[in-house]
Amino acid sequence: IYYKNGNYVLPAVYSIGGAVITLGILKSQPFKWGWFENWVSAFFGLSIVAWYFSGPYWATVFSSIGMFVAGMPQLRDSWRNPETSPFFMYIGFTLANLFSTMGGKEWSVEERLYQFACLILTILVTLATSRKYYLQYRRVVDHMRSQSSLD
C-alpha cells in the first residue's frame, strides 16, 4: 500500500486496534474455538479464494460478511450484559470507523464496504452498551419509587 501511494495509516490503525482487542479477549476469559469460529473462518477463507479467482470485489464482500458475523457474539454480550462493556471505547471505535469510511479514495465496494460494515457493527455495539446508563437510571428511579411508597 505504501509503495502505491495508498493510505497505509488506515490498515495500520486497524491492525493496532485488532491487536488490542485480541489481547483484551485473551486476557478477559478462557479462549474457546468451536463451530461458530470455524464458520467465521470460512468467510475469510472464501475471501482469499475469491481474491485469487475474481479479484478484490468479492474478496471484500466475503471478508466484510465474515467480520460482521464475527462481531455478533460481542453484540449479543453487550446487549445481555452492558455493564461490562466499555462504552467510551466503542464510541472511539465508531468514530474511527466513520473516519475510515469517509477516508477512502473512491465510493466503491472495494474501498468502502468493509469500513462501512465495521461502522454499522460498532454503532450497534455502542447502542447495546449504552443500555447500561439506562439500566442504572431505571434502578435509581425504582429505588426512589420504593422509598416513597414506604412513607
Side-chain angles (χ1 to χ4, degrees):
I1 294 173
Y2 179 77
Y3 293 115
K4 293 183 179 181
N5 294 324
N7 190 351
Y8 65 91
V9 176
L10 292 175
V13 170
Y14 269 112
S15 298
I16 291 168
V20 169
I21 290 170
T22 301
L23 290 173
I25 289 170
L26 291 175
K27 182 182 173 196
S28 67
Q29 59 187 353
F31 183 70
K32 180 186 108 179
W33 190 275
W35 67 269
F36 183 78
E37 290 79 11
N38 287 331
W39 192 57
V40 169
S41 297
F43 278 109
F44 292 108
L46 282 172
S47 71
I48 293 169
V49 171
W51 188 285
Y52 182 77
F53 286 109
S54 66
Y57 181 90
W58 285 108
T60 304
V61 169
F62 285 124
S63 64
S64 299
I65 292 170
M67 179 280 311
F68 197 84
V69 170
M72 290 299 105
Q74 179 62 43
L75 180 58
R76 180 198 63 215
D77 293 344
S78 295
W79 182 262
R80 288 181 180 171
N81 193 8
E83 290 83 12
T84 61
S85 294
F87 176 69
F88 292 106
M89 183 179 289
Y90 284 119
I91 287 178
F93 286 143
T94 301
L95 289 174
N97 286 314
L98 175 65
F99 295 146
S100 178
T101 301
M102 293 169 46
K105 286 186 174 184
E106 60 187 44
W107 285 95
S108 65
V109 168
E110 295 90 337
E111 285 286 324
R112 307 289 176 122
L113 180 63
Y114 188 86
Q115 292 86 346
F116 186 71
C118 289
L119 175 63
I120 297 301
L121 180 62
T122 55
I123 287 171
L124 292 173
V125 172
T126 303
L127 289 173
T129 302
S130 70
R131 289 181 58 242
K132 69 178 161 184
Y133 298 110
Y134 172 74
L135 295 173
Q136 287 172 353
Y137 168 77
R138 290 300 312 162
R139 280 192 286 272
V140 169
V141 168
D142 291 344
H143 178 72
M144 291 173 68
R145 285 183 180 159
S146 69
Q147 291 298 322
S148 66
S149 65
L150 293 176
D151 292 339

